[in-house]
Amino acid sequence: MTERRSIQLGGVTVDLLQIGTFRSDAGAIFGPVPQETWAPMVADEIDGRSRLLQALNILHIHDQSGGVLLETGVLPAGSTVHDDETNARSAYDALVTAGIDVDRIVSVVPSHLHRDHAGGLVDGSGRAAFGNASIVAPAREIAAVASGSLRAQAAYDVPVLTRLFSASPPKSFEAAFALTPAISLRQLGGHTPGSQATVVRGSERTLLFLGDLFMRPWQANPRWVTAYDDEAWVSVDAKASIFAEAAAGEWLVVMSHEVNNPVGRIVDDRGRFRFVSE
Ligand SMILES: [Zn+2]
């Protein structure tokens, strides 16, 4: 896709920005799916080290009440990286370059707090990158960061998030939260204990963003979860349920790490689902 796409939902505009790419091990992304099944699907993008090309997609939503940022990418504000692994800039810089008024952003909502989604919450000195905004996250996700588990220490930048949250305490919620009249958040779990879904309702269309519960199109099959999913069985049930809702409502769905066609719809396919780009 181009670096920026504006999606009109009716009274609410969603700007999708692609702020970089990185490489992920294909086997880890396909989790329980046999290589024999997935290999033909990614023949065009897999590299010599068995890695897929993944995008860093962030969403900026604006309506009358202000701006809301979903996801912050992998890097602190002011940073840029170009190497074999990653080619990315910070969410803050990408938004400024796109002409978006970052001072108007009132809430920053990472889908979960893994490094590639929460990295841009901070600036180069570790302070909140979006000074006028509240960070919003399920209590269960904040607790996962603080849990001290070995898996959490590998997946989250625990020292950075701990310092940030003590200086700028996040706004937390339990099961669901109406962030604005148009935007509601649901804690689903699965990929991480507090992975959340964002549902944005305009007068004409509804848009769903699931973070890494739906990062690439083949994950429209609820059973195709990644090896990074902490609670794989929760992911399967959560996806089956919200995909049914998205298919029935003809919601737009945006994928977190899809490079070329990250926007589309989920359609019911004989009790399973598949993704159709729009
Ligand atoms: Zn991710």
Side-chain angles (χ1 to χ4, degrees), residues 138-157:
R140 209 168 161 232
E141 187 68 1
I142 295 164
V145 174
S147 71
S149 79
L150 290 176
R151 197 166 157 106
Q153 286 175 44
Y156 301 112
D157 197 337

Side-chain angles (χ1 to χ4, degrees), residues 22 54-56 71 111-112 114-117 191 211-212 215 256-257:
F22 64 107
Q54 303 258 80
L56 292 162
E71 309 291 46
S111 62
H112 60 297
H114 278 171
R115 292 168 194 279
D116 56 319
H117 300 259
H191 180 65
D212 284 356
M215 61 167 84
S256 59
H257 292 316

